[in-house]
């Protein structure tokens, strides 16, 4: 974990984000705080070119306008050709038709990782109906079988966010403890985590995607715990979270990581 | 007031927002801080479906792209069919042609409430020419007759924001005192209030729309006063406002509400 | 410098912004903190009308959707007819085709000022290939000749942001010291400076554009230095920067300005 964290800091990966209008500012600031270089390039005619040179691409479906949908397809195709790893964040799939269809199409295009809450992951796995907008009505542990199946089918590392985060490559499945309930009161806290996942995959050096995705969750959870200690509410928490991401050190990650490898399922 | 506030907290209403790109993040965070569940669903093909299941819908015309205009019409039509209450925030109508025409169309589609500054409300009432962009050049008190007429004509509760806020259902008109001048230095402070109005209407239980809209203004004003005590300027004020909204309790609302019922106009 | 700063505060210029979705909130808040009145009017059918009445117009190419591209052309044409000064911020031109073509077109339409990093300015000057997304790979000092040539060719004051900021009207060239490295860890810190440049040009009274652009950089740098003293990281820095912009006084600018007029180049 800690070595991967250090590698990302040293590399300063260039992360292209095609993400929703609600969270684009917070996402970019979270990436900067974590030592990455964000570039919110989501215009048709530019998204593909940039995906060829970026270190990683995030495709987040929170507010998928027609322009963004075309740009996402362009970026994913170019990333595939260029070998750029990309990450899918299927915000609120299930109930909402446009993004659900797009997510079903994109998840088959070989994302390096997929990050969502349990309801969203179960929809992609084909075994769930979705939650209440961006809220999950399931727990990560309950989504284990679906997440593992989705990982095996697509080749992606699948991360399910919740009170504990479940992460799997279809073979190995881990649970990450950490974070704070205040994360649920900051819009885009999950979306920013999807961006950090992209940064860690992009800048992971010789580490596995599973390790990179896990390290991103560990680092984010530790930063959230520190931020919660100083916060008087969700406003000051969001500010302190950016500070904590910036101030987090390799030793903190080494000392603070709480990762449990689960026994194989039957 | 206080009972309505408690009802909203207990219900955690799901609030769909079709709002402008400038304020979408702050609006979502304000809703979360107030105990509501925001969903910024403004895509054609999704906005209508979501309006059928949401507790309330906000339509804010701050940056009305063609996509958002179509999505707003779709959401308003679906809300009407499903009986979902919706709120119109006619940002900067008057001088700007596209949104002025759209606002004139939508205000006739039975919003539960309309919230704006005095210049915006007078434009909708048909007796004003608009202000200077998002700034009002009139006072809420000066907009009383226009607001009451607009309320009677449309059936909406009409709220006029200013140093004091005037709220009317066309029969009963109240003035709410509270807030702080720093609100005028935070972009989207008015837009976030429009979202809170939607949350309070959506989660009001058995209370009237007039009571719900008034309670939203009271709560926001009290939170702003607390935030101003801690702020060193508009940056820290906006952060503290989110904290204060989160930390506000029913007793605070009961003790702090300053609402004056006006004598009937001649 | 200080007199220009006071003039802007007294005038409270109305600044229209056509800017990118990542930074629109922070930009509007920075303008409010600096005493200006922001209006993010970027819709086709409205952008031109508003440009006729605004004090100044910012055209920032950070996320140039088709709607924004048309709106930018509409606003620039109207500004030209009405004599409204406008400012071009050519975010990430060079590598990205859509914005690079648009910037090349717009820069010939008589902007009052152009603000960018060294890589962006060199692309417009015709002597550079661009940086890494929004990051510059050149220094302002290295861009001097290109900036001066661009200023002479277009008639615009050209500002090159970096560790020190280089500002030129093609005849006189100055270097402004100030700011803090934390600015590079806040998304939109450069974009907000472009908006302040617009506000200072719009509200400059009888001062020259060169003086106005320089004063904007001085004020922003001083505010950043104050903010850095209080910050624990990039999150709290961004908040403190808004507070510091709001609290900055004419005397602070008079006492703190560090502007060096360069010897003429051979």
């Amino acid at each position: 974990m800690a070595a991967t964290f250090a590698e990302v800091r040293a590399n300063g990966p260039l992360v292209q984000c095609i993400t929703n209008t609600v969270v684009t500012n917070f996402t970019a600031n979270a990436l900067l705080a974590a030592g990455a270089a964000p570039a919110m390039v989501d215009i048709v005619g530019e998204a593909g070119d940039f995906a060829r040179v970026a270190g990683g691409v995030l495709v987040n479906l929170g507010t998928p306008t027609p322009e963004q949908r075309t740009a996402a397809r362009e970026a994913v195709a170019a990333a595939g050709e260029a070998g750029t790893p990309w990450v899918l964040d299927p915000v609120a799939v299930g109930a909402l038709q446009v993004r659900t269809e797009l997510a079903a199409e994109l998840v088959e295009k070989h994302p390096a990782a997929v990050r969502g809450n349990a309801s969203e992951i179960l929809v992609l796995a084909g075994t769930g109906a979705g939650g209440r907008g961006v809220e999950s009505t399931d727990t990560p542990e309950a989504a284990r079988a679906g997440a593992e199946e989705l990982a095996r089918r697509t080749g992606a590392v699948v991360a399910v966010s919740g009170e504990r985060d479940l992460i799997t490559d279809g073979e190995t499945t881990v649970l990450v403890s950490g974070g704070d309930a205040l994360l649920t009161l900051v819009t885009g806290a999950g979306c920013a985590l999807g961006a950090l996942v992209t940064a860690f995959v992009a800048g992971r050096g010789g580490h596995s995607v599973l390790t990179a995705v896990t390290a991103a969750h560990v680092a984010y959870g530790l930063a959230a715990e520190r931020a919660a200690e100083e916060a008087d509410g969700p406003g000051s928490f969001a500010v302190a979270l950016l500070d904590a991401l910036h101030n987090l050190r390799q030793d903190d990650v080494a000392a603070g990581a709480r990762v449990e490898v689960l026994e194989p399922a039957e």
Side-chain angles (χ1 to χ4, degrees), chain A residues 17-215:
Chain A
C17 298
I18 298 176
T19 191
N20 69 79
T21 52
V22 188
V23 307
T24 180
N25 183 272
F26 188 68
T27 297
N29 278 331
L31 285 169
L32 286 165
M40 316 318 260
V41 180
D42 63 353
I43 300 298
V44 176
E46 295 188 344
D49 287 345
F50 204 81
R52 291 177 206 280
V53 299
V57 181
L58 169 70
V59 176
N60 172 304
L61 303 182
T63 54
T65 58
E67 173 86 4
Q68 269 207 343
R69 299 200 292 270
T70 306
R73 289 185 175 102
E74 184 182 302
V76 165
E81 289 169 19
T84 308
W86 70 279
V87 173
L88 179 65
D89 192 332
V91 180
V93 295
L96 296 166
Q97 193 181 347
V98 173
R99 68 192 68 196
T100 303
E101 289 175 10
L102 181 57
E105 173 191 331
L106 293 178
V107 77
E108 305 301 333
K109 308 278 185 190
H110 310 299
V114 179
R115 189 218 70 86
N117 64 37
S119 295
E120 293 157 356
I121 295 301
L122 288 175
V123 167
L124 287 186
T127 57
R132 199 179 81 141
V134 296
E135 291 185 356
S136 184
T137 51
D138 302 286
T139 65
E141 287 85 346
R144 180 181 178 179
E148 291 176 344
E149 187 193 313
L150 181 64
R152 284 190 295 266
R153 192 182 88 215
T154 61
V157 168
V158 175
V160 191
S161 300
E163 196 175 327
R164 295 200 293 176
D165 305 313
L166 183 141
I167 304 167
T168 182
D169 63 3
E171 302 282 320
T172 304
T173 300
V174 302
L175 270 182
V176 176
S177 300
D180 190 275
L182 278 168
L183 285 169
T184 65
L185 296 180
V186 175
T187 196
C191 298
L193 175 54
L196 286 191
V197 163
T198 314
F200 275 66
V201 170
R204 74 186 187 281
H207 301 277
S208 72
V209 174
L210 180 65
T211 301
V213 174
T214 306

